[in-house]
Amino acid sequence: MEPKLLARIGAIIFVAIAITMTAIEMSRAPEPVREEPVAEVVASGIDPLLIELRRCQALGAAGADDRDCMRAWAENRRRFLAPGARPMARIDDTTAEGN
């Protein structure tokens, strides 16, 4: 077989797979939107910075203009980049939400 013919067959197979995958993805039902409860400051020792970062995350792009979010991100960077800083264990979503 000629190389041009193999290239054309490969391109056709690639396009067919891409169309099939797109059709499968579009046929799926959309996932329901999760309502995240507003985290409240609890005396259980949850870091207030974590709560503020969650709030800023919920704001989305508007968080870039929020002064409190800018402070929270700066503090988070300071903690993360501090000399001798050790990464904290991953915080479960249930712990962060106060459940």
Side-chain angles (χ1 to χ4, degrees):
M1 283 192 169
E2 294 182 27
K4 287 183 180 181
L5 181 61
L6 287 175
R8 287 181 184 167
I9 291 173
I12 291 171
I13 291 172
F14 175 77
V15 170
I17 291 172
I19 290 172
T20 303
M21 291 175 61
T22 302
I24 291 170
E25 188 65 30
M26 290 179 69
S27 67
R28 289 184 181 177
E31 293 182 13
V33 177
R34 274 195 325 171
E35 294 284 333
E36 290 193 27
V38 177
E40 298 179 15
V41 179
V42 182
S44 65
I46 296 177
D47 187 8
L49 177 63
L50 178 63
I51 295 170
E52 183 63 19
L53 289 171
R54 290 273 182 172
R55 184 187 71 82
C56 294
Q57 181 182 19
L59 289 176
D65 297 328
D66 188 70
R67 186 170 281 165
D68 291 331
C69 289
M70 298 297 279
R71 285 189 194 121
W73 289 327
E75 174 63 17
N76 192 41
R77 278 191 303 274
R78 186 192 67 74
R79 287 184 186 183
F80 182 77
L81 298 173
R86 296 189 324 175
M88 293 175 43
R90 176 160 165 69
I91 300 171
D92 295 335
D93 290 337
T94 56
T95 303
E97 293 171 359
N99 291 337

